[in-house]
């Protein structure tokens, strides 16, 4: 006969004893993981679908030159807002050159030059500023012009590179840096547990520098998909990988084996869809368009995007975002490093507290060494 489980006195185990046995078994974390992974799958699909499946403009920063608020110019603007179901955030400029400078600084996404008392409009868009926004404006403006009796000319004055016709390459390389960044930190925790905290930070920086170089080399030199400003792009990718790796290391000190949950939530579920890489921020749901710029994926995409398409107009903000997250993560990791799993004990010679006497030396001289 098969034996039945019994309690402490040969009786059937109580519910509390069965629960205690289950908690001590590997089945509890495995069951929790089943639930977490199922929820993560839904959240992953939901976050990307919510952000990217049906991008809709809320407000589009637009530079204007000429009499945009008179006669047909006003009618054309009203028609554009109605057709887009969004507001054009108007920024008047005295000259076309000033408006172009604002576009290069990524303060506006389009330039509306109203001519001939509103009977003609030249709409300059920038595919490099946001392919989805530019495409939407290019389709909408001619139709609105026909309905309002305005002759419309649309020009793309800063197009995307030939190898990146949809403007997604920067999003992909930034995504690679983010994911490999924290996956690398996970692998260090699993396969190099004996690394001490300072050594772990050093090796995180090492794989970030090498990984950033390889990503840039593959995309530029091997695939010729993007013509990168190589050193700047390499350093942005490396900073992204290092930041992502240290974010996981920070969470690992705070949450232990569950560190993947906040890392995945922050970097992948929230950070990547709101980065502006796949869908330009004017087309994102409003909260994501604001939050995304303050997260590492958004900082990485913004810095890389400006480096590739707007040379000489780089902003400090995305570097402050990446550097700030890296600094906070390193600081938290260092302060609570005693909680981080892994590390190694001090050698016996240093742990004894005092030098070993001559009579304690072994024949191999190991203690003296």
């Amino acid at each position: 006969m098969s034996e039945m489980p019994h309690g402490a006195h040969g009786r059937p185990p109580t519910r509390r004893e069965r629960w205690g046995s289950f908690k001590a078994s590997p089945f509890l974390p495995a069951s929790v993981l089943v639930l977490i992974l199922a929820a993560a799958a839904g959240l992953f699909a939901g976050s990307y679908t919510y952000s990217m499946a049906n991008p809709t403009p809320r407000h589009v920063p637009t530079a204007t030159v000429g009499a945009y608020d008179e006669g047909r110019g006003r009618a054309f603007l009203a028609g554009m807002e109605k057709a887009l179901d969004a507001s054009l955030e108007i920024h008047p400029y005295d000259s076309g050159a000033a408006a172009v400078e604002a576009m290069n600084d990524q303060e506006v996404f389009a330039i509306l030059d109203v001519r001939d008392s509103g009977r003609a409009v030249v709409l300059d868009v920038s595919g490099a500023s946001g392919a989805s926004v530019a495409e939407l404006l290019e389709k909408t403006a001619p139709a609105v012009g026909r309905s309002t009796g305005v002759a419309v000319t649309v020009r793309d004055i800063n197009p995307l590179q030939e190898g990146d016709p949809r403007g997604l390459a920067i999003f992909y390389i930034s995504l690679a840096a983010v994911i490999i960044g924290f996956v690398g930190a996970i692998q260090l925790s699993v396969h190099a547990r004996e690394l001490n905290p300072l050594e772990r930070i050093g090796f995180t920086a090492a794989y970030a520098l090498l990984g950033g170089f390889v990503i840039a080399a593959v995309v530029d030199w091997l695939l010729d998909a993007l013509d990168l400003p190589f050193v700047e792009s390499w350093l942005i990718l490396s900073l992204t990988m290092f930041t992502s790796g240290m974010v996981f290391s920070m969470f690992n000190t705070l949450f232990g084996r569950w560190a993947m949950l906040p890392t995945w939530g922050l970097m992948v579920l929230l950070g990547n869809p709101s980065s502006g890489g796949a869908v330009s921020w004017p087309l994102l749901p409003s909260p994501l368009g604001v939050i995304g710029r303050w997260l590492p994926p958004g900082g990485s995409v913004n810095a890389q995007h400006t480096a590739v398409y707007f040379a000489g107009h780089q902003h400090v903000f995305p570097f402050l975002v990446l550097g700030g997250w890296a600094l906070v993560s390193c600081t938290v990791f260092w302060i609570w490093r005693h909680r981080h799993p892994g590390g190694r004990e001090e050698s016996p010679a240093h742990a004894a507290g005092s030098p070993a006497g001559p009579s304690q030396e072994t024949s191999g001289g190991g203690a003296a060494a």
Side-chain angles (χ1 to χ4, degrees), residues 11-49:
R11 54 176 171 74
T14 65
R15 180 179 298 179
R16 178 176 295 182
E17 289 171 338
R18 287 196 297 269
W19 173 244
S21 176
F22 179 70
K23 286 203 304 182
S25 75
F27 299 114
L28 176 60
S31 300
V32 172
L33 281 173
V34 168
L35 298 176
I36 289 174
L37 291 172
L43 288 172
F44 184 83
S47 65
Y48 279 70
T49 301

Side-chain angles (χ1 to χ4, degrees), residues 41-314:
L43 288 172
F44 184 83
S47 65
Y48 279 70
T49 301
Y50 175 67
S51 303
M52 302 178 185
N54 185 27
T56 304
R58 273 73 184 173
H59 63 278
V60 181
T62 304
T64 56
V65 180
Y68 68 93
D69 58 348
E70 298 177 4
R72 293 186 184 180
R74 179 182 295 177
F76 179 79
L77 275 177
M80 286 289 291
E81 291 186 337
K82 183 178 180 180
L84 294 170
D85 193 22
S87 64
L88 295 180
E89 188 179 296
I90 299 301
H91 299 265
Y93 290 90
D94 295 332
S95 67
V100 170
E101 185 69 13
M103 179 177 281
N104 288 333
D105 285 334
Q106 299 178 75
E107 296 173 356
V108 298
F109 280 74
I111 302 172
L112 190 65
D113 187 355
V114 181
R115 303 176 179 179
D116 195 16
S117 301
R119 286 189 288 271
V121 165
V122 176
L123 179 64
D124 290 334
V125 299
S126 171
S129 299
S132 48
V133 176
E135 183 178 355
L136 187 63
L137 294 174
E138 286 174 343
K139 290 181 178 178
T140 305
V144 173
R146 288 191 293 270
S147 66
T148 56
V150 176
V152 177
T153 302
V154 181
R155 305 180 303 189
D156 189 344
I157 63 174
N158 192 10
L160 292 162
Q161 294 185 19
E162 186 176 346
D164 184 27
R166 300 299 302 168
L168 294 175
I170 289 174
F171 174 67
Y172 293 146
I173 65 175
S174 300
L175 178 64
V178 166
I179 292 180
I180 299 302
F182 68 73
V183 168
I186 294 171
Q187 294 305 304
L188 285 181
S189 296
V190 173
H191 299 292
R193 289 178 59 85
E194 294 78 12
L195 289 175
N196 287 327
L198 192 59
E199 296 167 341
R200 189 176 298 274
I201 293 174
F203 274 92
T204 302
Y207 76 66
L209 279 170
L210 185 57
F213 178 86
V214 172
I215 293 174
V218 168
V219 171
D220 190 344
W221 300 345
L222 182 62
L223 300 179
D224 197 26
L226 282 174
D227 182 14
L228 299 175
F230 194 86
V231 174
E232 186 177 3
S233 291
W234 168 24
L235 294 180
I236 292 169
L237 290 166
S238 296
L239 179 57
T240 302
M241 290 187 71
F242 177 76
T243 301
S244 184
M246 290 312 304
V247 164
F248 173 82
S249 297
M250 172 182 69
F251 285 137
N252 207 12
T253 65
L254 299 177
F255 303 109
R257 64 182 176 180
W258 302 110
M260 186 60 182
L261 293 180
T263 304
W264 185 264
L266 179 72
M267 306 297 281
V268 178
L269 293 184
L270 182 60
N272 282 322
S274 63
S275 66
V279 175
S280 301
W281 65 261
L283 304 186
L284 288 171
S286 297
L288 293 183
V290 175
I291 294 171
R293 304 179 201 188
W294 292 88
L295 299 179
S300 179
V301 167
N302 289 342
Q304 196 71 253
H305 181 253
T306 304
V308 173
Y309 285 111
F310 299 95
H313 296 266
Q314 186 62 270

